[in-house]
Amino acid sequence: MNLDNENLEWELCNAYFSILEISKTSKVSLEKLCVEAKTSREEVEKIVPNNSMDYRIFFLKILISKLDKEALSELQLDIADDTISSTYDKILEGLSLRFEKYFHYKQSLKILSGNSKQRIQVFLEVFRENYNFTSNLLTLIEKDQNCLIKTLKSLALNIVFTKSLEIFFNDENKDIDAVIRYLDKYLSD
């Protein structure tokens, strides 16, 4: 996909989550999306799925992918010359950065997972993307590693993240301190 399409995808994704935040409903029409993104219907139809029911997953994947890349890039800069922090500290920092990125979209993510069917779909997408994130996180932190061990660690980190994600959605605080405390506890366990 060329850079223009990627930029348009991100603009549409941003517009989609902005609409969710304002409307407090997961139903977003193509017309609203076009108006919010200030883009023609023809351009939008080239990018988004034909079925509006698929918008939720389509934009969720774009959002998670972008936020995960940002978190990993930030972590890579943070640990580039770090010879003091342990692997545990670096993993905790990576997962914490991820939650910080998600925090800006917390309300929208809650709207997307409003009922049990939606929550299962969102959970499965986040679970799949989380495996990719944790695998990339381990590659960044531990470099060369046995593929089986890395996969097992990724799955364990996925479980830790999933447990913390529940705290993230249920916590009504205006910060993520409680989530980070639980994340640290789950990770140490």
Side-chain angles (χ1 to χ4, degrees):
M1 180 176 290
N2 67 33
L3 190 56
D4 288 339
N5 282 352
E6 284 182 32
N7 289 336
L8 180 56
E9 264 189 3
W10 179 244
E11 285 178 34
L12 292 171
C13 182
N14 238 359
Y16 178 79
F17 281 97
S18 177
I19 294 168
L20 286 180
E21 188 79 26
I22 293 166
S23 67
K24 307 282 190 235
T25 179
S26 63
K27 306 252 189 283
V28 176
S29 70
L30 191 60
E31 291 74 26
K32 279 185 183 177
L33 195 56
C34 293
V35 169
E36 184 69 25
K38 298 175 181 85
T39 307
S40 72
R41 185 179 181 99
E42 293 77 30
E43 287 295 311
V44 172
E45 286 176 340
K46 291 178 190 175
I47 303 290
V48 299
N50 293 333
N51 182 350
S52 66
M53 296 300 287
D54 297 332
Y55 293 173
R56 182 176 55 245
I57 300 303
F58 177 76
F59 289 120
L60 182 62
K61 285 180 181 181
I62 294 169
L63 179 70
I64 290 173
S65 177
K66 181 157 177 68
L67 296 180
D68 286 354
K69 284 178 188 172
E70 288 176 5
L72 288 171
S73 293
E74 195 172 319
L75 179 67
Q76 186 173 18
L77 289 174
D78 288 350
I79 66 171
D81 298 324
D82 185 355
T83 57
I84 298 170
S85 298
S86 68
T87 299
Y88 175 89
D89 293 333
K90 292 175 184 177
I91 289 172
L92 180 60
E93 183 178 352
L95 292 174
S96 298
L97 281 171
R98 191 175 195 217
F99 274 113
E100 287 174 14
K101 300 288 182 191
Y102 282 23
F103 187 74
H104 300 289
Y105 297 91
K106 182 177 179 177
Q107 189 60 39
S108 300
L109 292 170
K110 284 174 85 169
I111 291 167
L112 283 180
S113 58
N115 64 43
S116 58
K117 182 181 176 191
Q118 289 175 330
R119 186 167 286 197
I120 289 169
Q121 286 177 323
V122 168
F123 171 79
L124 291 174
E125 286 306 317
V126 169
F127 196 80
R128 185 178 304 123
E129 294 298 321
N130 193 47
Y131 174 78
N132 293 333
F133 176 82
T134 55
S135 179
N136 292 334
L137 177 67
L138 290 170
T139 299
L140 178 66
I141 293 170
E142 297 183 334
K143 307 288 184 249
D144 297 324
Q145 189 176 119
N146 178 304
C147 187
L148 178 61
I149 292 171
K150 183 173 148 183
T151 300
L152 292 174
K153 285 182 178 181
S154 291
L155 290 172
L157 289 176
N158 210 344
I159 292 167
V160 167
F161 183 80
T162 303
K163 288 171 72 174
S164 300
L165 194 60
E166 196 62 35
I167 302 296
F168 177 75
F169 282 133
N170 291 332
D171 187 27
E172 295 300 324
N173 290 327
K174 301 292 182 211
D175 58 34
I176 61 167
D177 292 343
V179 176
I180 302 304
R181 279 194 307 278
Y182 277 98
L183 181 61
D184 188 17
K185 178 194 177 310
Y186 297 147
L187 195 56
S188 66
D189 289 348

